[in-house]
Amino acid sequence: MMLSDVMEDYLKAIYQLQRDQDDRIKTSEIASELDVTSPTVTSMLEKLEERGLVDREKYRGVTLTAEGQTVALEVVRHHRLLESYLTEHLDYDWSEVHAEADRLEHHISEAFERRVAAALDEPDVDPHGSPIPGADLEPPAAPEGAAVSEFERGDAVVVEEVADRDPDILSYLADRGVEPGVELEILEVAPFGMVTARAEGHDETVSLPEGVAHHVRVAPLPGIEP
């Protein structure tokens, strides 16, 4: 089945939105995710439905069909393998790789994908901690933690995953040591959602507005519950 790059982008967006909520995805959520208008989304969803890639219910949103999910997982696998390869072998900063992978993910062959995966020794996660679907295109297990905003002052947590969309945020976090595998101490959680934390080995604190804190996923250290 030949699909356009835009169609694949929609399927990937729906897959990523479904990962964070156990419900149908609304047109407005897809529009926000892809920075397009709702009428544009509606038009594309009609095309994807005709191809059997999404299941739509009027006023209730969409879910991916089994075929749509397989396409989305392949695109996600390409994207995250490319991010890993660019970081490990071409000296890209983790704040630069998302945009490059977005451009390349639609155009690599399966042979190229296999070689990249082998060169990286079949990684489980990308540089941002996001799980990489396997070659069988089965959905990877979701990280076990929760958004850092779900924790409280005094909690000790370890970073599992950081959203890869905003290079300025990624640079800010990296400068303050907030990367997958790093332990954080939660210093303060403001009533309006701002989280202040300190990364292990760093003197400087990091301030995470609610919109950023929601996209920093962490796991509790033993004895700590979110």
mmCIF file of all heavy atoms in Angstrom, residues 98-118:
data_model
loop_
_atom_site.group_PDB
_atom_site.id
_atom_site.type_symbol
_atom_site.label_atom_id
_atom_site.label_comp_id
_atom_site.label_asym_id
_atom_site.label_seq_id
_atom_site.Cartn_x
_atom_site.Cartn_y
_atom_site.Cartn_z
ATOM 1 N N HIS A 98 15.289 15.079 16.087
ATOM 2 C CA HIS A 98 13.866 14.879 15.786
ATOM 3 C C HIS A 98 13.509 15.383 14.393
ATOM 4 O O HIS A 98 12.865 14.675 13.604
ATOM 5 C CB HIS A 98 12.997 15.559 16.834
ATOM 6 C CG HIS A 98 11.528 15.443 16.563
ATOM 7 N ND1 HIS A 98 10.827 14.268 16.740
ATOM 8 C CD2 HIS A 98 10.625 16.353 16.102
ATOM 9 C CE1 HIS A 98 9.561 14.458 16.408
ATOM 10 N NE2 HIS A 98 9.406 15.711 16.026
ATOM 11 N N ALA A 99 13.921 16.604 14.089
ATOM 12 C CA ALA A 99 13.583 17.188 12.786
ATOM 13 C C ALA A 99 14.220 16.406 11.644
ATOM 14 O O ALA A 99 13.595 16.185 10.594
ATOM 15 C CB ALA A 99 14.019 18.653 12.742
ATOM 16 N N GLU A 100 15.472 15.971 11.829
ATOM 17 C CA GLU A 100 16.140 15.187 10.787
ATOM 18 C C GLU A 100 15.431 13.856 10.569
ATOM 19 O O GLU A 100 15.197 13.433 9.439
ATOM 20 C CB GLU A 100 17.605 14.946 11.171
ATOM 21 C CG GLU A 100 18.489 16.167 11.127
ATOM 22 C CD GLU A 100 18.865 16.587 9.722
ATOM 23 O OE1 GLU A 100 18.324 16.019 8.746
ATOM 24 O OE2 GLU A 100 19.700 17.492 9.586
ATOM 25 N N ALA A 101 15.078 13.195 11.671
ATOM 26 C CA ALA A 101 14.394 11.906 11.557
ATOM 27 C C ALA A 101 13.022 12.060 10.923
ATOM 28 O O ALA A 101 12.583 11.188 10.159
ATOM 29 C CB ALA A 101 14.277 11.246 12.929
ATOM 30 N N ASP A 102 12.337 13.174 11.209
ATOM 31 C CA ASP A 102 11.042 13.432 10.581
ATOM 32 C C ASP A 102 11.166 13.464 9.055
ATOM 33 O O ASP A 102 10.284 12.991 8.337
ATOM 34 C CB ASP A 102 10.473 14.774 11.062
ATOM 35 C CG ASP A 102 9.487 14.608 12.209
ATOM 36 O OD1 ASP A 102 9.108 13.458 12.514
ATOM 37 O OD2 ASP A 102 9.094 15.626 12.804
ATOM 38 N N ARG A 103 12.250 14.059 8.586
ATOM 39 C CA ARG A 103 12.436 14.157 7.128
ATOM 40 C C ARG A 103 12.807 12.817 6.500
ATOM 41 O O ARG A 103 12.426 12.523 5.367
ATOM 42 C CB ARG A 103 13.518 15.193 6.818
ATOM 43 C CG ARG A 103 13.081 16.634 7.030
ATOM 44 C CD ARG A 103 14.129 17.618 6.552
ATOM 45 N NE ARG A 103 15.211 17.760 7.504
ATOM 46 C CZ ARG A 103 15.241 18.683 8.473
ATOM 47 N NH1 ARG A 103 14.221 19.508 8.632
ATOM 48 N NH2 ARG A 103 16.267 18.760 9.300
ATOM 49 N N LEU A 104 13.546 11.990 7.226
ATOM 50 C CA LEU A 104 14.092 10.764 6.651
ATOM 51 C C LEU A 104 13.206 9.528 6.841
ATOM 52 O O LEU A 104 13.315 8.564 6.078
ATOM 53 C CB LEU A 104 15.464 10.469 7.282
ATOM 54 C CG LEU A 104 16.582 11.479 7.002
ATOM 55 C CD1 LEU A 104 17.775 11.206 7.911
ATOM 56 C CD2 LEU A 104 16.998 11.412 5.542
ATOM 57 N N GLU A 105 12.336 9.551 7.846
ATOM 58 C CA GLU A 105 11.634 8.332 8.269
ATOM 59 C C GLU A 105 10.785 7.694 7.171
ATOM 60 O O GLU A 105 10.562 6.483 7.190
ATOM 61 C CB GLU A 105 10.758 8.631 9.481
ATOM 62 C CG GLU A 105 9.619 9.597 9.183
ATOM 63 C CD GLU A 105 8.940 10.115 10.440
ATOM 64 O OE1 GLU A 105 9.490 9.927 11.545
ATOM 65 O OE2 GLU A 105 7.853 10.714 10.317
ATOM 66 N N HIS A 106 10.303 8.492 6.228
ATOM 67 C CA HIS A 106 9.412 7.978 5.183
ATOM 68 C C HIS A 106 10.171 7.361 4.004
ATOM 69 O O HIS A 106 9.551 6.758 3.132
ATOM 70 C CB HIS A 106 8.536 9.110 4.640
ATOM 71 C CG HIS A 106 7.801 9.875 5.695
ATOM 72 N ND1 HIS A 106 6.734 9.352 6.386
ATOM 73 C CD2 HIS A 106 7.994 11.126 6.187
ATOM 74 C CE1 HIS A 106 6.294 10.251 7.258
ATOM 75 N NE2 HIS A 106 7.041 11.331 7.155
ATOM 76 N N HIS A 107 11.483 7.531 3.980
ATOM 77 C CA HIS A 107 12.195 7.269 2.725
ATOM 78 C C HIS A 107 13.295 6.218 2.821
ATOM 79 O O HIS A 107 14.005 5.995 1.855
ATOM 80 C CB HIS A 107 12.804 8.579 2.201
ATOM 81 C CG HIS A 107 11.808 9.684 2.071
ATOM 82 N ND1 HIS A 107 10.752 9.621 1.184
ATOM 83 C CD2 HIS A 107 11.670 10.852 2.747
ATOM 84 C CE1 HIS A 107 10.014 10.731 1.301
ATOM 85 N NE2 HIS A 107 10.547 11.477 2.244
ATOM 86 N N ILE A 108 13.452 5.581 3.984
ATOM 87 C CA ILE A 108 14.499 4.561 4.066
ATOM 88 C C ILE A 108 13.905 3.192 3.720
ATOM 89 O O ILE A 108 12.735 2.929 3.947
ATOM 90 C CB ILE A 108 15.154 4.526 5.467
ATOM 91 C CG1 ILE A 108 14.160 4.079 6.545
ATOM 92 C CG2 ILE A 108 15.755 5.880 5.822
ATOM 93 C CD1 ILE A 108 14.811 3.836 7.905
ATOM 94 N N SER A 109 14.738 2.342 3.132
ATOM 95 C CA SER A 109 14.295 0.998 2.763
ATOM 96 C C SER A 109 14.343 0.077 3.973
ATOM 97 O O SER A 109 14.976 0.388 4.995
ATOM 98 C CB SER A 109 15.207 0.441 1.664
ATOM 99 O OG SER A 109 16.513 0.205 2.186
ATOM 100 N N GLU A 110 13.706 -1.074 3.855
ATOM 101 C CA GLU A 110 13.741 -2.042 4.947
ATOM 102 C C GLU A 110 15.154 -2.585 5.142
ATOM 103 O O GLU A 110 15.568 -2.885 6.268
ATOM 104 C CB GLU A 110 12.749 -3.179 4.686
ATOM 105 C CG GLU A 110 11.293 -2.710 4.601
ATOM 106 C CD GLU A 110 10.927 -1.776 5.739
ATOM 107 O OE1 GLU A 110 10.996 -2.219 6.906
ATOM 108 O OE2 GLU A 110 10.588 -0.604 5.474
ATOM 109 N N ALA A 111 15.909 -2.705 4.040
ATOM 110 C CA ALA A 111 17.297 -3.165 4.147
ATOM 111 C C ALA A 111 18.130 -2.159 4.938
ATOM 112 O O ALA A 111 18.944 -2.529 5.792
ATOM 113 C CB ALA A 111 17.890 -3.371 2.757
ATOM 114 N N PHE A 112 17.911 -0.872 4.655
ATOM 115 C CA PHE A 112 18.632 0.172 5.375
ATOM 116 C C PHE A 112 18.251 0.151 6.861
ATOM 117 O O PHE A 112 19.100 0.269 7.743
ATOM 118 C CB PHE A 112 18.326 1.534 4.767
ATOM 119 C CG PHE A 112 19.096 2.674 5.381
ATOM 120 C CD1 PHE A 112 20.367 2.976 4.937
ATOM 121 C CD2 PHE A 112 18.540 3.430 6.401
ATOM 122 C CE1 PHE A 112 21.093 4.026 5.508
ATOM 123 C CE2 PHE A 112 19.239 4.480 6.970
ATOM 124 C CZ PHE A 112 20.528 4.778 6.525
ATOM 125 N N GLU A 113 16.960 -0.016 7.122
ATOM 126 C CA GLU A 113 16.487 -0.088 8.520
ATOM 127 C C GLU A 113 17.186 -1.217 9.267
ATOM 128 O O GLU A 113 17.642 -1.043 10.402
ATOM 129 C CB GLU A 113 14.984 -0.300 8.548
ATOM 130 C CG GLU A 113 14.402 -0.513 9.948
ATOM 131 C CD GLU A 113 13.161 -1.365 9.958
ATOM 132 O OE1 GLU A 113 12.164 -0.970 9.321
ATOM 133 O OE2 GLU A 113 13.178 -2.431 10.596
ATOM 134 N N ARG A 114 17.281 -2.394 8.626
ATOM 135 C CA ARG A 114 17.908 -3.540 9.281
ATOM 136 C C ARG A 114 19.380 -3.268 9.571
ATOM 137 O O ARG A 114 19.894 -3.640 10.639
ATOM 138 C CB ARG A 114 17.763 -4.798 8.411
ATOM 139 C CG ARG A 114 16.340 -5.358 8.379
ATOM 140 C CD ARG A 114 16.314 -6.740 7.770
ATOM 141 N NE ARG A 114 16.691 -6.728 6.367
ATOM 142 C CZ ARG A 114 15.837 -6.553 5.357
ATOM 143 N NH1 ARG A 114 14.551 -6.370 5.607
ATOM 144 N NH2 ARG A 114 16.264 -6.580 4.104
ATOM 145 N N ARG A 115 20.061 -2.582 8.644
ATOM 146 C CA ARG A 115 21.484 -2.292 8.851
ATOM 147 C C ARG A 115 21.685 -1.275 9.971
ATOM 148 O O ARG A 115 22.631 -1.381 10.760
ATOM 149 C CB ARG A 115 22.112 -1.778 7.549
ATOM 150 C CG ARG A 115 22.212 -2.846 6.478
ATOM 151 C CD ARG A 115 23.122 -2.426 5.349
ATOM 152 N NE ARG A 115 23.264 -3.474 4.363
ATOM 153 C CZ ARG A 115 24.233 -3.510 3.445
ATOM 154 N NH1 ARG A 115 25.134 -2.536 3.400
ATOM 155 N NH2 ARG A 115 24.307 -4.498 2.579
ATOM 156 N N VAL A 116 20.803 -0.280 10.026
ATOM 157 C CA VAL A 116 20.890 0.701 11.101
ATOM 158 C C VAL A 116 20.663 0.020 12.446
ATOM 159 O O VAL A 116 21.410 0.247 13.407
ATOM 160 C CB VAL A 116 19.859 1.835 10.888
ATOM 161 C CG1 VAL A 116 19.744 2.698 12.143
ATOM 162 C CG2 VAL A 116 20.256 2.704 9.703
ATOM 163 N N ALA A 117 19.637 -0.823 12.529
ATOM 164 C CA ALA A 117 19.346 -1.528 13.781
ATOM 165 C C ALA A 117 20.524 -2.400 14.206
ATOM 166 O O ALA A 117 20.884 -2.448 15.388
ATOM 167 C CB ALA A 117 18.082 -2.361 13.630
ATOM 168 N N ALA A 118 21.133 -3.097 13.240
ATOM 169 C CA ALA A 118 22.275 -3.953 13.552
ATOM 170 C C ALA A 118 23.472 -3.127 14.013
ATOM 171 O O ALA A 118 24.178 -3.501 14.953
ATOM 172 C CB ALA A 118 22.642 -4.791 12.327
#
